[in-house]
Amino acid sequence: MSGLRAFQGRWFVVKIGGELSSDRPKLAGSVGAAVRAFLAAGIRVAVIHGGGPQATELTNKLGLTPRMVAGRRVTDEATLEVMKMTLAGQVSVDVAAAFRLAGVPALCTTGVSAGLIDARKRAPQVLTGAGPEPIDLGLVGDVVDVNTALFERLAEAGVVPVLGSLSGDAQGQVFNINADTVATRVAAKLRAAKLFLVSNVPGVLADKNDPSTRIPTLTPAEAQEKIASGVIQGGMIPKVEESLAMLEEGIEAIHIVGISPAHALLGEAQGAGSFGTAFLRAR
Ligand SMILES: Nc1ncnc2c1ncn2[C@@H]1O[C@H](COP(=O)(O)OP(=O)(O)O)[C@@H](O)[C@H]1O
Ligand SMILES: CC(=O)N[C@@H](CCC(=O)OP(=O)(O)O)C(=O)O
């Protein structure tokens, strides 16, 4: 625990993938317990959660067809309704319940609230792995600004802001944003000491089907090579790309870490590369 004291007064941002919210005791015993330890060490904590799997499941139940391009969801009006129901509904409440179980004072909402995350529509752009043409993802946003003053006030009040990855603009439009993207932007704006992307895999794997092949640390060049050679695929591509883009923006270290074992997040916070994959700015 003593190693954590070095981060007193700094921010840690923790992103949890949507699928982790379905097992409340597991989420409470891993991420919840780690966040409690961070707070006890005087660290400020913000949490961003996704809800991709739940959204896909509800989309299918409604008889609609989910469409993902390079790990991002093409979002029309009907899809945005589904994202509101899952991110601001089911997943938000399940995450709140897990943090209650862990004894963490989490205030669960979305980036739309009080302009915590200000966004605008993402212009069509070329996406890695999706061909040479620019892709229009519909009602998908880019983060324009983060209300860091409100994050600070919430932290001073002893509250952990927990945001589903919806955002909005001052005209009242709501946007869907990949939760990894929101987390990297929030961490950069808060000049976080650490960003943790907690997922269902223990880190970046040399063989994505073999959890024993975890790569402890990666330089930006090594990570780019692993994307180009196809070692890093699917949902891991935006995670790694967003991480690399933000490393130069003031975040000291970004860690991709699993939900198992329960002490993985806490252990990774105390020793980079010990339980996950760490991207370090200066190596
Ligand atoms: N080299 C790799 N190492 C680890 N995971 C990988 C790799 N390549 C692809 N993946 C896939 O990326 C997934 C994690 O991304 P994603 O499902 O988007 O996570 P989350 O929902 O937590 O954001 C893993 O479940 C895995 O199938
Ligand atoms: C634009 C975009 O792709 N948004 C994501 C937001 C949720 C998310 O990122 O959830 P996970 O962290 O569980 O993957 C989506 O619609 O799936």
Side-chain angles (χ1 to χ4, degrees):
M1 193 77 61
S2 57
L4 291 178
R5 290 267 173 217
F7 300 103
Q8 193 170 7
R10 306 284 311 277
W11 281 95
F12 279 7
V13 175
V14 181
K15 184 264 171 171
I16 44 186
E19 81 174 271
L20 308 183
S21 70
S22 53
D23 189 337
R24 237 168 285 166
K26 195 169 175 185
L27 186 60
S30 54
V31 176
V35 171
R36 204 176 51 226
F38 298 159
L39 294 176
I43 296 164
R44 299 174 170 222
V45 184
V47 178
I48 311 297
H49 69 78
Q54 291 90 340
T56 298
E57 194 184 334
L58 181 56
T59 306
N60 286 324
K61 274 188 195 161
L62 293 171
L64 304 167
T65 306
R67 220 184 123 213
M68 305 295 292
V69 178
R72 278 89 165 179
R73 191 178 308 271
V74 180
T75 306
D76 59 10
E77 292 283 357
T79 306
L80 187 63
E81 296 299 301
V82 170
M83 299 316 297
K84 291 179 196 169
M85 288 183 230
T86 49
L87 288 174
Q90 180 188 2
V91 180
S92 179
V93 176
D94 283 345
V95 169
F99 277 124
R100 269 219 84 185
L101 185 56
V104 171
L107 190 68
C108 298
T109 179
T110 72
V112 181
S113 296
L116 278 163
I117 312 286
D118 188 47
R120 66 164 165 249
K121 181 177 157 45
R122 171 174 283 205
Q125 58 183 234
V126 175
L127 296 171
T128 307
E133 295 303 320
I135 309 278
D136 185 353
L137 293 166
L139 294 169
V140 167
D142 274 323
V143 175
V144 176
D145 204 3
V146 175
N147 189 343
T148 53
L150 186 49
F151 274 91
E152 298 288 354
R153 290 184 68 181
L154 289 169
E156 278 155 22
V159 164
V160 176
V162 178
L163 306 185
S165 63
L166 292 172
S167 59
D169 66 18
Q171 283 68 48
Q173 178 63 53
V174 176
F175 297 105
N176 180 19
I177 307 188
N178 176 284
D180 294 318
T181 308
V182 173
T184 52
R185 299 306 188 278
V186 168
K189 293 278 189 190
L190 290 172
R191 305 200 76 74
K194 287 182 180 293
L195 165 64
F196 300 96
L197 302 174
V198 186
S199 186
N200 61 344
V201 283
V204 177
L205 305 172
D207 173 356
K208 81 177 176 72
N209 299 313
D210 182 355
S212 72
T213 63
R214 176 177 61 84
I215 303 168
T217 56
L218 277 174
T219 63
E222 287 165 347
Q224 294 291 6
E225 188 281 319
K226 298 224 173 319
I227 293 174
S229 64
V231 168
I232 294 174
Q233 304 166 7
M236 193 52 81
I237 295 177
K239 225 182 267 305
V240 172
E241 285 188 336
E242 301 290 352
S243 298
L244 298 181
M246 285 299 116
L247 256 193
E248 301 305 322
E249 299 282 323
I251 310 173
E252 282 169 27
I254 301 179
H255 306 256
I256 297 180
V257 64
I259 187 105
S260 301
H263 57 278
L265 173 54
L266 191 52
E268 180 66 21
Q270 292 167 302
S274 59
F275 284 90
T277 298
F279 300 92
L280 303 172
R281 197 148 45 127
R283 278 185 66 189

